[in-house]
Amino acid sequence: MPVQKQAEIAPAKGKLGVLLVGLGAVSTTFIAGVEAIKKGIAEPIGSLTQMGTVRLGKRTDNRVPLIKDFVPLAKLEDLVFGAWDIFPDSAFEAATHAGVLEKDLLAQIRTPLQKIKPMKAVFDQSYVKRLQGTNVKEGKNKLELAEQLIAEIADWKKKNKVSRVVMIWAASTEIFLKPHAVHKTLDTFEKAMRENHKAIAPSMIYAYAALKSGIPFANGAPNLTVDIPALRTLAEKNRLPICGKDFKTGQTLMKTIIAPGLKSRMLGLHGWYSTNILGNRDGEVLDDPDSFKTKEESKLSVLEYILQPDVYPALYKDFSHVVRINYYPPRGDNKEGWDNIDIFGWLGYQMQIKIDFLCRDSILAAPIVLDLALFLDLAQRTGMRGIQEWLSFYFKSPQTAPGLYPEHDIFIQLMKLKNTLRHLRGEDLITHLGLEYYD
Ligand SMILES: NC(=O)c1ccc[n+]([C@@H]2O[C@H](COP(=O)([O-])OP(=O)(O)OC[C@H]3O[C@@H](n4cnc5c(N)ncnc54)[C@H](O)[C@@H]3O)[C@@H](O)[C@H]2O)c1
């Protein structure tokens, strides 16, 4: 990833293909949103690339361009969407089924959504137990399935006349997999694909196909996927950016906003109990204990890293952290997340914070997909390769260099992201020291 200050950035010429694995609630809310914004009937709320600014120089300089004017990003008009799913429904049908967006809004963008028909998926029910679909590829072994994907991507690129492509995993959460010896090198990984080894999940086959095709990859679910040495090495070798994992929305977003605040004031924590009800397909998949385990691992690590119990034992040693997800169909995509936070202050006196977040999962996730697509493409044009830690801002479980602990504090993550953009453009980094104003 090391990249020079004021790096040369190739212009965002031509069309950018955004290939989505999974055409469910998140993907369709993202695509429908972009179409609605292009039509001028909605605003890109929640998207840093579209609405965010970056301060340059001193506070008195009044230089605060929009991020999209500061770095050369692909334009929304230049995005072309493609997807894979195990169900053959078009993006319009899938969006209608997901029930996130109102029918009136969908009716206005029906034509472009209907044109997006998912390609046949690489799928194996042993990795997502609650799903069964018909739109699925067949192949002799996992390597052959990857080769089918590679050929299909090349064909899609040509047909859609795109000059660059990024791939984002927005498909269901797979069962919990631990790193395995076959994940170590590209050779062992390819051999394992040929032998249909069970340590190779479908998400890894897509990631492999992307990296073999010269395409950056982002992982929006908590699956292991690209977070294994074989695929990290492939990304480095082919000079491609990768990032993951698990879009930071809902309850974890709130956690990484609130926990840094409590810690900044040296308030202690006895426990944080989080529970959710949701009724979309994601909720149904996560109702399976093996898929939930993958999600749980991703959600639990956040507080440990932010609060640093080893550094602050008097405040955070042995706090209890429980996360539950309950599948409750009447709620659909409109999740309700409750948090009970038991904190303590001066002289150990106890207090409680209760949060009841009536959130909409896919409404929070869609702008993340947009930003990741645009930033990954920017990274690619800048020659940034391997793990993109500056994109931690978007993830529950940010991918970092091996041995390096992830930064979860959302404010530090944002500073890191904006400082990366300043670095790329040769601007001074902002430290917030500010002594010069008082000279
Ligand atoms: N919505 C959020 O706020 C949020 C936040 C973080 C992570 N995520 C993750 O993003 C993913 C998508 O969420 P969603 O709400 O859109 O779920 P969803 O169930 O609506 O959509 C997922 C789609 O992926 C398809 N799919 C499953 N396996 C596939 C495969 N191997 N190849 C192609 N398609 C496949 C399913 O058929 C489904 O249509 C989930 O893994 C979820 O955990 C979502």
Side-chain angles (χ1 to χ4, degrees):
M1 135 107 181
V3 67
Q4 286 165 345
K5 189 169 177 179
Q6 207 162 359
E8 202 167 310
I9 307 177
K13 251 188 12 217
K15 300 222 172 278
L16 173 65
V18 182
L19 282 175
L20 299 155
V21 189
L23 190 58
V26 171
S27 294
T28 55
T29 307
F30 154 63
I31 300 172
V34 171
E35 294 300 340
I37 294 158
K38 274 167 34 187
K39 245 181 158 239
I41 53 179
E43 295 285 341
I45 302 194
S47 161
L48 191 66
T49 59
Q50 304 306 300
M51 303 197 98
T53 61
V54 55
R55 185 191 118 200
L56 305 174
K58 290 187 185 171
R59 262 183 275 164
T60 44
D61 288 352
N62 272 332
R63 293 170 67 212
V64 272
L66 283 167
I67 287 175
K68 66 178 179 180
D69 295 333
F70 179 57
V71 285
L73 298 176
K75 305 242 174 324
L76 298 193
E77 291 69 27
D78 288 332
L79 301 186
V80 181
F81 308 107
W84 291 272
D85 205 288
I86 66 168
F87 300 109
D89 300 355
S90 73
F92 179 76
E93 290 159 334
T96 307
H97 173 86
V100 178
L101 301 175
E102 285 162 12
K103 292 210 164 55
D104 278 0
L105 175 67
L106 288 177
Q108 294 180 69
I109 46 177
R110 187 184 186 119
T111 311
L113 293 191
Q114 258 174 343
K115 282 194 195 137
I116 302 168
K117 302 247 166 62
M119 298 175 268
K120 282 192 173 173
V122 172
F123 181 74
D124 177 342
Q125 208 195 357
S126 33
Y127 298 87
V128 186
K129 304 220 172 94
R130 296 285 156 103
L131 290 186
Q132 230 177 337
T134 51
N135 197 39
V136 175
K137 285 188 176 26
E138 281 178 20
K140 223 171 47 224
N141 57 47
K142 295 179 178 182
L143 188 60
E144 202 207 88
L145 287 168
E147 280 157 4
Q148 287 183 32
L149 283 175
I150 292 168
E152 193 168 49
I153 292 168
D155 196 42
W156 186 89
K157 254 185 101 167
K158 223 186 281 156
K159 253 195 228 144
N160 288 283
K161 300 190 179 71
V162 297
S163 57
R164 304 161 333 269
V165 182
V166 294
M167 190 189 291
I168 299 181
W169 176 274
S172 311
T173 299
E174 295 174 329
I175 57 166
F176 183 66
L177 286 184
K178 285 208 176 101
H180 188 283
V182 301
H183 298 147
K184 279 227 170 96
T185 69
L186 202 50
D187 283 347
T188 55
F189 184 83
E190 285 174 344
K191 181 167 176 286
M193 285 211 284
R194 217 173 289 118
E195 292 169 356
N196 274 330
H197 198 290
K198 62 179 188 319
I200 310 288
S203 62
M204 293 173 187
I205 302 175
Y206 284 100
Y208 172 85
L211 299 175
K212 277 285 193 182
S213 306
I215 294 176
F217 184 90
N219 181 13
N223 324 315
L224 198 55
T225 314
V226 81
D227 206 358
I228 54 173
L231 293 180
R232 280 201 306 264
T233 312
L234 183 58
E236 287 281 345
K237 187 173 142 228
N238 289 356
R239 309 185 73 77
L240 294 164
I242 51 171
C243 59
K245 50 193 185 206
D246 207 4
F247 301 134
K248 177 151 84 177
T249 57
Q251 211 162 40
T252 310
L253 172 66
M254 293 310 285
K255 252 176 211 166
T256 65
I257 292 172
I258 288 168
L262 296 175
K263 182 180 159 200
S264 71
R265 298 296 290 258
M266 294 287 106
L267 293 169
L269 182 76
H270 284 312
W272 195 313
Y273 180 84
S274 303
T275 187
N276 297 274
I277 51 173
L278 83 159
N280 56 14
R281 193 179 281 150
D282 187 29
E284 191 179 351
V285 168
L286 294 174
D287 207 35
D288 169 57
D290 290 336
S291 284
F292 176 67
K293 171 114 178 84
T294 312
K295 198 57 143 185
E296 189 183 27
E297 290 279 320
S298 159
K299 281 173 169 270
L300 280 178
S301 59
V302 167
L303 286 184
E304 286 283 326
Y305 283 117
I306 293 179
L307 299 176
Q308 298 177 293
D310 291 345
V311 182
Y312 304 100
L315 298 173
Y316 304 121
K317 193 164 176 284
D318 299 330
F319 67 82
S320 157
H321 187 194
V322 178
V323 180
R324 296 276 177 266
I325 297 179
N326 302 293
Y327 177 52
Y328 178 61
R331 272 309 160 89
D333 198 66
N334 295 352
K335 182 164 88 177
E336 183 158 3
W338 289 276
D339 286 279
N340 171 74
I341 314 166
D342 286 293
I343 63 169
F344 56 94
W346 185 240
L347 312 178
Y349 276 69
Q350 297 191 11
M351 296 171 264
Q352 289 185 1
I353 302 172
K354 312 272 181 190
I355 301 171
D356 183 2
F357 189 11
L358 296 155
C359 82
R360 293 174 190 260
D361 255 0
S362 304
I363 293 293
L364 293 169
I368 296 185
V369 181
L370 172 61
D371 285 2
L372 285 173
L374 300 188
F375 279 147
L376 268 185
D377 173 50
L378 173 76
Q380 173 68 1
R381 282 182 284 111
T382 311
M384 296 162 92
R385 60 181 198 274
I387 298 165
Q388 303 298 304
E389 205 197 309
W390 64 289
L391 298 175
S392 297
F393 180 67
Y394 295 106
F395 295 108
K396 281 194 192 78
S397 188
Q399 203 176 346
T400 51
L404 189 65
Y405 72 80
E407 185 51 72
H408 281 287
D409 177 330
I410 196 160
F411 306 104
I412 297 178
Q413 291 174 332
L414 180 62
M415 210 186 303
K416 188 193 277 283
L417 189 155
K418 289 192 177 179
N419 269 339
T420 303
L421 299 179
R422 292 183 186 107
H423 176 77
L424 293 184
R425 290 315 233 171
E427 290 283 343
D428 289 341
L429 305 190
I430 290 195
T431 63
H432 299 285
L433 183 63
L435 288 179
E436 67 274 23
Y437 302 116
Y438 297 92
D439 277 349

